[in-house]
């Protein structure tokens, strides 16, 4: 009996050894496969498809067909009230009529508060409806057709306009949708979201309880399309995107709120509507400049926008919208070409599960004698240094870049024309910093302690995110839950089982973190490169800790920490840290160097700002530039150190300007006429009509030096008080956008005991050629913002 028993035990032990051997040999391959699959999934999620030709089936989206619309409208700037806007509007009406739907124009006067001062204007929206066969709701497709005054707007918003028209054509080519599909082309988006406000005022949008809005925007000319905003009750919106090509993550909601951007959807969301806001974000150097032309638009991005939005519109168009629009908020993120969509309540459950798993794994490891609480706390403090160090390096890199090339501040968010190598350099620096800091932390804590510290940190941050930003919590909770397996796995089979468990957890981390990390670089730009560097540093640190074969429970007792290693091993470790630090420095040098040496030529012009200012009261013309960067063209007109404006112009673009004398030439000036002047008690109401001598001056600033109690612009109310922070007077004002030929009527309620002193400022988006010594060279273009323009100011007192 004894012999037989021993034989059976021996066979079992041999079988277990064979299994362990197979696991040991296969673990590296399986683990590497998991990591590669996760990385491939992330890269595939940010890829763009090839554009479909005009011969594509009629019910499919074709970028080549849609490009024809961009060619038609992006021939000249089309700001509100301009001939270009009228031409674009006529083209839209003609195209919609040709598709078989009847467009309607909606003219409205509207005022909205702005980031600097209120804007008021007359806008003309265009709408058309594809009727549903059994409508229980409405899907509203929105795209603005206006552009900035200084550029043709091929991407912003030619991309959205063309996508909407091609989607309408594809929908009409198939069976009628169940729900109504309404197209709204808004005016005045660039002037302060005026068209969106007018759409609400004129009743273009149905009841929010039965309406889903899809807003088509652009913040770049290339790259994948991102669904970056969806609203509070967004569960139905996220599910409508499931399986589509748009990159969607609930983290984008948080990032977007931190950036200084608004779209038409901002107005609709504030009014209680839900939906989705989509746009490409890569390639922003030409964004809202004169070089935002057809050559800058990537047809693959246009195809990606259509492939993302058309299926979502079709899904929403057959959905009982009133039944799903109040389903609540959600957490969503891409994994392996699919969009994982969870109700936020499930995210809270995920948080509890992750916290329970992490707590259990840490307690078990502590009972096994694998870690001490003091060292876990020390390791956690060290890991916090990873994003801090990477973020500080990014801040230092941007600071260095703008010192070496100051004109980078003229690019939107600091992105040069070819930023890929710069991003790569900063990414390498962030990864190297993460490796260096993690290596230093490992000297004070053993592998299991470092892993436990990472899991506890991720759980704490994830739980905090559930309170303040639920859509971002998954980034921490999923890796934390997966990482508990790496901490708790049985280690009798050697390090291979531990490595396989760590690789699986690292694959989960890569799959969840890498897609948003890849998009953060073009989204935040070089001026905020510290943010994606900090995030990438966290990702690299997490993967490094998870893949560390020493982090499993099969270790020596805690009394033998790494501090007792032999001098030779310590020297090797120090050499590794030095090498990684050198790699981090090299990455920063590459990132800064590529940003500084970005090509400057006819196709990649340097972006500058030059303003011709005419003070009609003093009869003085002046050149101004808010950018301190030296430039051969600009320096011919301005010089010296930047100084604060003298108050003759109510400027808020910059606290200081370089200046120089300018030749006096004829420019477009503002005009005003008093219509009525009456007094009631202590209040005097002055009614004036303001305009400009030419439609080229599409914006007119109206500024008052003194108290304004209330105002009305074209019958629309404006609050009085102080709405412009200024140290040189003119503390109340607004901008008239797209004033008609007959001018805009303005009523001002002011005290009766003081005269009314008003400064009028006509703004034109070009320089007077007669004032230039030579035409602007091809390797120079106006930047976003104040850029290149003419200002003509005149003071009136009544």
């Amino acid at each position: 009996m004894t012999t037989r028993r021993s034989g059976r035990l021996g066979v079992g032990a041999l079988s277990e050894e064979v299994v362990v051997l197979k696991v040991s040999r296969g673990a590296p391959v399986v683990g590497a496969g998991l990591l590669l699959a996760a990385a491939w999934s992330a890269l595939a999620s940010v890829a763009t498809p090839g554009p479909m030709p005009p011969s594509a089936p009629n019910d499919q989206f074709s970028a080549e067909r849609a490009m024809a619309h961009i060619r038609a409208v992006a021939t000249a700037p089309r700001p509100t009230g301009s001939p270009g806007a009228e031409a674009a509007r006529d083209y839209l009406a003609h195209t919609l009529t040709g598709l078989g739907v009847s467009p309607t124009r909606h003219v409205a006067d509207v005022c909205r508060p702005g980031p600097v001062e209120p804007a008021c204007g007359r806008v003309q929206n265009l709408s058309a409806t594809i009727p549903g066969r059994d409508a229980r709701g409405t899907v509203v497709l929105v795209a603005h057709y206006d552009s900035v005054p200084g550029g043709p707007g091929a991407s912003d918003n030619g991309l959205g306009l063309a996508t909407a028209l091609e989607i309408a054509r594809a929908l009409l080519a198939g069976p009628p949708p169940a729900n109504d599909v309404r197209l709204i082309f808004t005016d005045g988006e660039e002037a302060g979201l005026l068209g969106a406000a007018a759409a609400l005022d004129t009743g273009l949008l149905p009841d929010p309880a039965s309406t889903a809005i899809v807003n088509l925007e652009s913040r770049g000319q290339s790259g994948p399309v991102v669904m970056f905003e969806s609203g509070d009750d967004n569960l139905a919106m996220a599910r409508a995107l499931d399986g589509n090509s748009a990159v969607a993550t609930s983290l984008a909601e948080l990032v977007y709120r931190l950036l200084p951007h608004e779209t038409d959807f901002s107005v609709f969301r504030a009014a209680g509507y839900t939906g989705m806001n989509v746009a490409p974000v890569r390639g922003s150097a030409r964004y809202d400049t004169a070089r935002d032309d057809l050559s800058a638009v990537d047809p693959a991005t246009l195809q990606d926008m259509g492939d993302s939005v058309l299926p979502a519109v079709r899904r929403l168009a057959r959905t009982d919208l009133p039944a799903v629009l109040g389903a609540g908020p959600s957490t969503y993120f891409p994994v392996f070409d699919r969009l994982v969509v969870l109700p936020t309540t499930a995210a809270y459950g995920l948080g509890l599960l992750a916290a329970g798993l992490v707590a259990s794994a840490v307690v078990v490891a502590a009972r096994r004698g694998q870690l001490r609480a003091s060292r876990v706390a020390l390791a956690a403090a060290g890991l916090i240094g990873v994003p801090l160090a990477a973020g500080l390096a990014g801040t230092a890199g941007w600071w260095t870049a703008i010192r070496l090339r100051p004109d980078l501040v003229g690019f939107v968010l600091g992105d040069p024309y070819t930023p890929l190598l710069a991003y790569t350099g900063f990414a390498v620096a962030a990864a190297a910093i993460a490796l260096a800091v993690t290596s230093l932390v490992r000297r004070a804590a053993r592998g299991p302690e470092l892993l436990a510290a990472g899991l506890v940190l991720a759980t704490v941050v994830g739980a905090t995110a559930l309170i303040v930003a639920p859509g971002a919590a998954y980034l921490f909770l999923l890796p934390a839950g997966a990482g508990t397996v790496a901490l708790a796995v049985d280690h009798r089979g050697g390090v291979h089982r531990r490595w396989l468990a760590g690789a699986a957890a690292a694959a989960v981390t890569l799959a969840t973190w890498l897609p948003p990390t890849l998009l953060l670089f073009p989204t935040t730009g070089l001026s905020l490169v510290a943010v994606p560097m900090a995030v990438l540093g966290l990702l690299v640190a997490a993967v490094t800790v998870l893949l560390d074969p020493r982090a499993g429970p099969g270790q020596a007792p805690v009394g033998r920490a790494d501090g007792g290693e032999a001098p030779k091993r310590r020297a090797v470790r120090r050499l590794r840290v030095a090498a990684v630090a050198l790699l981090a420095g090299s990455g920063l040098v590459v990132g800064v160097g590529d940003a500084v040496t970005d090509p400057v030529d006819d196709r990649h012009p340097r972006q500058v700002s030059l303003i011709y200012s005419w003070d009609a009261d003093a009869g003085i013309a002046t050149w101004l530039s808010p950018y301190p960067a030296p430039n051969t063209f600009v320096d011919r007109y301005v010089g010296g150190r930047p100084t604060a404006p003298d108050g003759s112009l109510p400027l808020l673009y910059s606290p200081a300007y370089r200046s120089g004398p300018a030749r006096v030439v004829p420019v477009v000036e503002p005009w005003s006429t008093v219509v009525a002047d009456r007094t009631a008690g202590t209040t005097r109401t002055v009614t004036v009509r303001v305009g400009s001598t030419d439609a080229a001056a599409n914006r007119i600033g109206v500024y008052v030096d003194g108290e304004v109690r209330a105002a009305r612009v074209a019958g629309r109310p404006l609050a009085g008080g102080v709405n412009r922070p200024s140290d040189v007077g003119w503390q109340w004002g607004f901008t008239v956008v797209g004033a008609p030929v007959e001018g805009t009527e303005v009523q001002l309620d002011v005290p009766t005991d003081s005269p009314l002193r008003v400064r009028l400022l006509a703004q034109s988006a070009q320089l007077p050629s007669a004032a230039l010594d030579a035409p602007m060279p091809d390797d120079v273009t106006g930047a976003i913002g104040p850029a290149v323009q003419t200002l003509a100011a005149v003071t009136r007192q009544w």
Side-chain angles (χ1 to χ4, degrees), residues 305-324:
M305 183 173 275
D307 289 350
S308 303
V309 177
L310 177 57
V313 169
R314 281 186 167 136
R315 180 173 293 188
L316 291 171
R318 62 174 180 265
T319 300
D320 185 358
L321 292 178
V324 301

Side-chain angles (χ1 to χ4, degrees), residues 557-633:
V558 295
R560 298 179 59 184
D562 291 345
E565 62 186 353
K568 183 176 180 180
R569 291 183 61 191
R570 289 199 299 270
V572 171
R573 174 165 290 181
R574 290 170 182 168
L575 183 62
R576 289 175 180 171
V577 171
V580 173
L582 180 62
L583 182 62
S586 301
L588 284 177
V589 169
V590 171
V592 172
D594 184 66
V596 171
T597 59
D598 192 59
V600 177
D601 51 36
D602 295 355
R603 295 182 63 249
H604 310 92
R606 194 173 293 256
Q607 297 190 1
V608 300
S609 180
L610 184 62
I611 301 170
Y612 180 89
S613 167
W614 165 243
D615 186 343
D617 299 334
I620 297 174
T622 307
W623 291 110
L624 299 170
S625 179
Y627 293 167
N631 177 266
T632 303
F633 170 71

Side-chain angles (χ1 to χ4, degrees), residues 415-435:
D415 255 6
Y417 291 102
T418 55
L420 181 59
L421 186 56
Y423 287 151
T424 302
F426 284 118
V428 169
I433 289 170
L435 292 173

